[in-house]
Amino acid sequence: MAQGHFILREKEYEAFHALLKRLLAESCAKVIFLIDKNGSMLASAGETDEFDSTSIASLAAGNIAATGGLANLIGEKEFSILFHEGEKDNMHISVIANRLILVVVFDKRSSVGLVRLRVRKANDEMVRILAQADAAGSEANLEGDSLEELTEADIESLFK
């Protein structure tokens, strides 16, 4: 599976967004963020206005990287699920297909068990959407290759 940045087209963005909205309702969460492992925000759902989403994206990616280092120290590849418990709000962070980070913020209206169950069920659909995004990206790259074959004379002929 490809790593690093990928282009999220509108179709896949809408699919992720619809899935996040459904996960938000089913898990009784406050807000959900979908982030790539480089710390870029891809999509969100819920009460996002009260959060600094850019900082959350960066810090969640850093958190996954840091715990990955801890995992390596004990011989694990990665910890795929992290849970942070606060006084009012809790945060469930999970890695999807080793490329995306799903952050679910929830309060006492929900439970870590419910969030884990719903995230696990949403995981397969996120992997499927990610595969569609990769396939669409591959097709776009093939089209891009044909652009590289254009010569300067071809381009000049377009303006004559």
Side-chain angles (χ1 to χ4, degrees):
M1 190 172 276
Q3 297 291 319
H5 287 288
F6 66 96
I7 297 171
L8 186 61
R9 289 170 176 72
E10 186 172 347
K11 179 180 175 186
E12 288 81 23
Y13 170 79
E14 293 297 333
F16 276 131
H17 192 252
L19 178 60
L20 294 185
K21 286 172 56 178
R22 190 175 73 227
L23 179 59
L24 181 80
E26 291 177 349
S27 66
C28 301
K30 289 177 71 174
V31 63
I32 299 177
F33 299 103
L34 184 63
I35 304 160
D36 74 7
K37 282 186 103 175
N38 296 315
S40 299
M41 181 67 65
L42 299 177
S44 62
E47 304 166 17
T48 58
D49 291 344
E50 68 179 271
F51 296 99
D52 178 354
S53 58
T54 302
S55 295
I56 286 178
S58 298
L59 293 170
N63 195 354
I64 290 294
T67 55
L70 288 171
N72 288 334
L73 291 175
I74 64 167
E76 289 290 327
K77 184 177 174 186
E78 182 176 65
F79 294 127
S80 60
I81 297 174
L82 306 173
F83 174 68
H84 300 285
E85 184 174 358
E87 288 183 24
K88 295 184 304 184
D89 293 331
N90 307 302
M91 185 177 284
H92 181 278
I93 302 173
S94 55
V95 177
I96 308 293
N98 200 29
R99 294 178 59 194
L100 304 177
I101 301 168
L102 183 68
V103 178
V104 179
V105 178
F106 61 99
D107 58 17
K108 62 183 178 185
R109 294 176 291 172
S110 187
S111 69
V112 66
L114 177 62
V115 170
R116 284 188 71 173
L117 175 69
R118 296 303 184 188
V119 166
R120 190 176 308 141
K121 288 185 175 188
N123 183 63
D124 291 343
E125 192 167 346
M126 287 190 196
V127 170
R128 183 186 55 76
I129 296 168
L130 188 59
Q132 289 175 343
D134 287 340
S138 296
E139 290 174 13
N141 284 340
L142 291 175
E143 292 170 8
D145 290 343
S146 64
L147 287 176
E148 291 176 2
E149 295 173 1
L150 289 174
T151 64
E152 192 171 319
D154 293 331
I155 295 170
E156 288 294 326
S157 70
L158 292 174
F159 298 102
K160 290 184 180 178

